[in-house]
Amino acid sequence: MLAAVAGELTLEIIEGPGAGKQIRLDKPILIGRAADSDFVLEDGEVSRHHARVTPQPDATAVIEDLESANGTFINHNELIGPAHLDAGDELLLGVTVLKVRSREDLLSRPSAVIQIPPALAAAPHVATYVNPELIRTEAEQQQRLQEAASAGHPTVDKFLDVRVRRRTQLAPLALVVLIAIVLILVFSLK
């Protein structure tokens, strides 16, 4: 294979929402669900700012997970710290699979999208497992965050994650249940 030069790597969504979408790695790329990301993924399992991919002069790239809720995987291995990416590597973010493609690969085959066999294909449907109210609330909160960021107010994005909010709401209930169990045990042993 011919050696590629910096900027000749491309990321392509090969499976999942937005399959076929590509972006050239000619500068650091922020991948996430947020509208201000360089490569926006339409995947509810992807964090707003999920990962960053930075091209290197040696025809590779470096990827780092930005403390995403569901993690980042390279070739089925979970990313722990920054790691190198080569042409042909696959990334899994949420349920979206991306492939790092070289210029030669793109010239030989414009798209690497994994086709679904006709026997397994199903008509697209509206997701019913996501509460529309939660999506609306999250969109409003994202809007407020963007307004606050433009006003110069510091924000801590990871604390605004949906799962963290749910845990925060359940914490007082869990504490009450724990205290009740301890009291029951104390009085039953006397």
Side-chain angles (χ1 to χ4, degrees):
M1 184 164 111
L2 299 171
V5 295
E8 290 195 1
L9 292 178
T10 300
L11 276 178
E12 180 180 9
I13 300 174
I14 62 169
E15 189 175 332
K21 187 175 176 183
Q22 298 179 353
I23 189 166
R24 189 178 181 124
L25 292 175
D26 54 1
K27 62 179 177 126
I29 303 294
L30 176 63
I31 303 172
R33 204 178 67 236
D36 65 341
S37 297
D38 299 312
F39 198 40
V40 178
L41 300 182
E42 300 164 8
D43 181 345
E45 298 299 314
V46 170
S47 296
R48 287 186 285 275
H49 296 133
H50 198 101
R52 179 177 293 110
V53 180
T54 307
Q56 302 296 303
D58 63 350
T60 63
V62 173
I63 183 167
E64 57 184 312
D65 185 81
L66 301 176
E67 298 182 21
S68 63
N70 294 321
T72 301
F73 296 81
I74 302 174
N75 299 326
H76 306 288
N77 297 309
E78 187 169 9
L79 182 66
I80 304 300
H84 283 281
L85 290 174
D86 294 312
D89 285 344
E90 288 186 2
L91 300 172
L92 175 65
L93 289 81
V95 296
T96 303
V97 179
L98 298 107
K99 186 168 188 168
V100 181
R101 302 189 63 207
S102 67
R103 182 173 181 256
E104 292 79 18
D105 186 26
L106 282 169
L107 291 174
S108 68
R109 179 174 64 144
S111 178
V113 173
I114 298 172
Q115 298 298 321
I116 299 172
L120 298 177
H125 65 282
V126 177
T128 58
Y129 55 87
V130 179
N131 181 352
E133 181 64 25
L134 180 66
I135 292 171
R136 185 187 61 75
T137 303
E138 189 172 283
E140 289 173 356
Q141 187 175 39
Q142 182 66 26
Q143 173 95 20
R144 285 193 304 270
L145 283 173
Q146 288 175 349
E147 290 169 1
S150 65
H153 298 291
T155 59
V156 182
D157 201 37
K158 70 179 182 177
F159 293 119
L160 300 175
D161 187 74
V162 174
R163 290 186 177 103
V164 173
R165 284 196 309 254
R166 287 187 195 139
R167 289 180 192 146
T168 304
Q169 292 168 349
L170 290 176
L173 177 64
L175 187 60
V176 168
V177 170
L178 181 63
I179 291 171
I181 291 171
V182 169
L183 288 175
I184 290 170
L185 286 174
V186 167
F187 288 121
S188 67
L189 294 175
K190 288 188 176 185

